[in-house]
């Protein structure tokens, strides 16, 4: 009987530890990437457009699956109107007119696809390229730390004077509701503008926590995949795939929660501007923000970020791979139960961040899985990271470290039709020993 009790106890410990580890990174009883995602969107041939959308949408409008739509120029949803999009609808963006879709403050988009019938935004070019169009912008009434809240006027090509009032964001409504984006794909966005740089796949500015952003995939964007300015938005099951710039960029006092989400980078599609999977800033320039307001605060749980590289070591030596996470001065991050695999290094802190107890309490990494990274956590331009490694390597944080390739680390990364980036625990020997080699 005593032997049986000991055996049962050991099984209980093993089972508990197994499931505790398996919760790291993206999770689910089934692979939630199945059916609605597309990892080779360039191979898809969409129907020719049957309807054209241009100018301002000023009254409630519904787009139906039976039609294919072409966005021409900068299209704004204004006047508190709601744009509703049926599951399975395809919306193409005109390359020549630098098309984009903006949902202005007070208006809504209700784009609720399904797992088997997602809504697709893509380029109308026959051979699609990153940067073909301007992407989607949602503007809300939630707070930011910018003086006078903010405007995105400089993001538009040839913006008319009548639309300047439609590009403002921010206010005091944390629970602002800009609508729903669910089971939506955004492909080949990130248009480049002179003197501005690249636009984004999805920009959320002043968007509140009643807005639903769930099962949204941004792929092959020339700019940032997801960019969040201010607001209090929650992102669930967001995917950034092979985008050139940052996968998830947070700025201007956003209070954001990122759950069960994925970023897959490629060394050969990344820009040379220091792109990260998570870039967390409180400002671009100090003079543009109000420091009496909250800085950026991001809670990231069950995130998986990885590099899709066949020659990781040589790509790192050629500086084709950057850090996974960059944290700026005044920003706060609480990252938990997440996987960082194949970066150079895993995390960089802005050189202005002083390593003291106050700042370490603002930057938390717990229950993490650091795999195959060339170093773990550093201050920018400082190769001596002993203090940081000792701090985050403390066993009480439950962080583990390993050196395994992608095929050993994840369930299935080779089949792009139905990849599965959940952690393959049974093939990993994870330890609390920190290794930088």
């Amino acid at each position: 009987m005593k032997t049986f009790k000991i055996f049962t106890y050991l099984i209980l410990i093993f089972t508990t530890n197994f499931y505790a580890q398996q919760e790291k990174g993206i999770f689910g009883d089934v692979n939630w990437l199945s059916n609605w995602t597309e990892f080779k969107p360039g191979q898809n041939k969409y129907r020719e457009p049957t309807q054209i959308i241009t100018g301002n949408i000023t009254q409630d409008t519904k787009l139906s699956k039976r039609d294919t739509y072409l966005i021409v120029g900068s299209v704004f949803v204004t006047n508190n109107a709601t744009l509703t999009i049926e599951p399975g609808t395809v919306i193409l963006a005109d390359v020549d007119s630098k098309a984009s879709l903006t949902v202005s403050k007070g208006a809504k988009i209700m784009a609720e696809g399904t797992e088997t019938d997602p809504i697709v935004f893509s380029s109308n070019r026959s051979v699609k390229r990153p940067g073909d169009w301007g992407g989607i912008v949602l503007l809300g009434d939630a707070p930011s730390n910018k003086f006078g809240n903010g405007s995105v006027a400089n993001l538009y090509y040839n913006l008319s004077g009548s639309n300047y009032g439609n590009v403002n964001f921010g206010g005091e409504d944390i629970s602002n509701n800009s609508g729903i984006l669910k089971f939506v794909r955004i492909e080949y966005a990130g248009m480049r503008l002179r003197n501005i740089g690249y636009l984004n796949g999805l920009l959320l500015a002043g968007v509140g926590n009643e807005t639903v952003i769930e099962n949204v995939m941004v792929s092959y964007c020339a700019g940032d995949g997801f960019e969040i300015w201010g607001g209090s938005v929650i992102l669930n099951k967001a995917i950034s795939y092979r985008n050139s710039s940052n996968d998830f960029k947070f700025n201007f006092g956003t209070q954001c929660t990122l759950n069960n989400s994925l970023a897959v980078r490629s060394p050969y599609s990344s820009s040379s501007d220091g792109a990260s999977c998570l870039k967390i800033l409180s400002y671009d320039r100090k003079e543009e923000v109000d420091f009496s307001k909250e800085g950026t605060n991001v809670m990231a749980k069950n995130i998986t970020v990885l590099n899709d590289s066949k020659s990781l070591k040589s790509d790192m030596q050629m500086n084709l791979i950057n850090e996974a996470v960059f944290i700026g001065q005044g920003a706060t991050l609480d990252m938990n139960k997440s996987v960082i695999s194949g970066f150079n290094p895993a995390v960089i802190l802005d050189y202005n961040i002083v390593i003291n107890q106050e700042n370490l309490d603002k930057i938390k990494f717990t229950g993490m899985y650091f795999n195959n990274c060339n170093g773990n956590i550093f201050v920018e331009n400082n190769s001596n990271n002993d203090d940081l490694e000792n701090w985050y390597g403390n066993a009480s944080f439950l962080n583990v470290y390993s050196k395994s390739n992608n095929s050993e680390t994840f369930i299935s990364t080779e089949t792009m039709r139905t990849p599965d980036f959940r952690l393959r625990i049974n093939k990993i020997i994870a330890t609390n020993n920190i290794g930088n080699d």
Side-chain angles (χ1 to χ4, degrees):
M1 180 63 71
K2 184 176 181 180
T3 303
F4 177 76
K5 286 182 177 179
I6 293 174
F7 178 75
T8 303
Y9 178 67
L10 291 174
I11 288 293
L12 180 62
I13 291 175
F14 172 80
T15 304
T16 302
N17 288 337
F18 177 80
Y19 283 106
Q21 281 188 316
Q22 200 153 15
E23 290 177 358
K24 298 185 194 308
I26 62 170
F27 69 97
D29 294 334
V30 297
N31 180 16
W32 54 262
L33 278 68
S34 296
N35 299 318
W36 68 279
T37 56
E38 177 56 76
F39 292 88
K40 291 186 176 180
Q43 297 180 356
N44 286 344
K45 301 297 181 183
Y46 300 113
R47 294 179 301 168
E48 289 296 315
T50 57
Q51 300 284 340
I52 293 177
I53 303 173
T54 189
N56 291 359
I57 299 172
T58 59
Q59 58 186 7
D60 292 352
T61 301
K62 186 173 184 178
L63 308 186
S64 63
K65 177 182 177 179
R66 68 174 177 269
D67 288 310
T68 299
Y69 296 86
L70 180 67
I71 296 174
V72 177
S74 299
V75 173
F76 294 88
V77 185
T78 68
N79 197 37
N80 297 326
T82 297
L83 174 64
T84 302
I85 305 176
E86 284 186 349
T89 303
V90 173
I91 301 100
L92 303 179
D94 180 56
V95 174
D96 294 335
S97 64
K98 305 182 186 298
S100 63
L101 175 65
T102 299
V103 180
S104 297
K105 187 163 69 169
K108 289 184 180 180
I109 183 170
M110 305 299 288
E112 190 166 2
T114 67
E115 184 177 0
T116 56
D117 225 3
I119 294 166
V120 179
F121 291 86
S122 193
S123 161
N124 74 328
R125 198 196 295 266
S126 57
V127 179
K128 300 171 179 25
R129 301 188 184 101
D132 274 352
W133 62 293
I136 300 175
V137 179
L138 268 62
L139 305 176
D141 199 28
S144 79
N145 65 2
K146 293 196 76 172
F147 282 117
N149 289 303
S151 171
V152 294
N154 62 342
L155 302 183
Y156 297 93
Y157 169 75
N158 199 23
L159 181 67
S160 66
S162 62
N163 271 321
Y164 270 91
N166 297 324
V167 295
N168 297 323
F169 71 91
E172 300 300 327
D173 184 9
I174 293 174
S175 60
N176 162 255
N177 186 346
S178 297
I180 298 174
L181 290 176
K182 189 171 183 179
F183 290 110
V184 171
R185 298 204 310 263
I186 303 169
E187 305 166 353
Y188 297 102
M191 177 178 65
R192 185 175 186 176
L193 294 181
R194 186 181 301 174
N195 301 324
I196 297 298
Y198 294 95
L199 302 185
N200 313 293
L202 177 62
L203 171 62
L204 307 171
V207 173
N209 56 30
E210 292 295 319
T211 306
V212 176
I213 309 291
E214 186 173 322
N215 291 96
V216 175
M217 180 179 192
V218 179
S219 61
Y220 293 95
C221 179
D224 297 333
F226 297 79
E227 185 153 349
I228 299 94
W229 294 359
S232 185
V233 71
I234 300 169
L235 281 71
N236 288 305
K237 296 182 179 178
I239 303 172
S240 177
Y241 183 72
R242 287 190 173 233
N243 295 314
S244 299
S245 196
N246 304 289
D247 292 293
F248 299 93
K249 184 177 179 181
F250 309 89
N251 207 347
F252 301 123
T254 182
Q255 310 296 302
C256 185
T257 300
L258 180 66
N259 289 321
N260 201 10
S261 295
L262 171 70
V264 180
R265 299 202 64 78
S266 168
Y268 304 103
S269 60
S270 294
S271 71
S272 58
D273 298 333
S276 308
C277 294
L278 275 69
K279 192 160 192 172
I280 304 161
L281 310 174
S282 275
Y283 51 83
D284 290 329
R285 300 188 310 274
K286 289 185 176 181
E287 58 269 22
E288 66 185 343
V289 298
D290 182 351
F291 284 95
S292 69
K293 296 183 178 180
E294 290 188 83
T296 294
N297 184 350
V298 176
M299 295 188 65
K301 185 174 181 180
N302 288 107
I303 313 303
T304 293
V305 298
L306 69 140
N307 253 297
D308 183 17
S309 171
K310 304 297 182 185
S311 52
L312 189 64
K313 188 173 182 179
S314 62
D315 288 341
M316 286 183 180
Q317 291 172 344
M318 291 188 290
N319 292 320
L320 296 176
I321 295 174
N322 298 313
E323 74 281 353
V325 180
F326 182 90
I327 305 168
Q329 187 179 28
T332 300
L333 171 65
D334 185 348
M335 196 168 187
N336 178 244
K337 292 186 177 181
S338 296
V339 176
I340 298 177
S341 183
F343 289 88
N344 185 31
V347 180
I348 289 182
L349 312 183
D350 185 280
Y351 67 89
N352 289 307
I353 296 177
V354 177
I355 303 306
N356 55 29
Q357 192 63 48
E358 180 184 1
N359 285 327
L360 288 174
D361 286 342
K362 294 179 180 178
I363 302 170
K364 299 177 182 178
F365 294 97
T366 55
M368 298 288 296
Y369 187 87
F370 294 99
N371 178 62
N372 229 358
C373 292
N374 183 28
N376 298 306
I377 304 176
F378 291 82
V379 173
E380 191 176 22
N381 303 325
N382 188 346
S383 60
N384 183 354
N385 68 336
D386 290 347
D387 289 344
L388 290 171
E389 296 289 22
N390 289 334
W391 174 259
Y392 292 108
N394 188 297
S396 63
F397 290 134
L398 301 176
N399 297 324
V400 293
Y401 305 82
S402 183
K403 294 285 184 181
S404 301
N405 60 38
N406 284 345
S407 62
E408 294 172 324
T409 304
F410 305 101
I411 292 176
S412 174
T413 60
E414 302 299 322
T415 305
M416 283 296 97
R417 190 63 186 168
T418 55
D420 190 339
F421 294 103
R422 290 176 295 172
L423 207 57
R424 186 198 295 269
I425 286 297
N426 60 330
K427 290 290 185 69
I428 294 172
I429 301 175
T431 72
N432 287 90
N433 296 322
I434 299 171
N436 293 337
D437 50 66

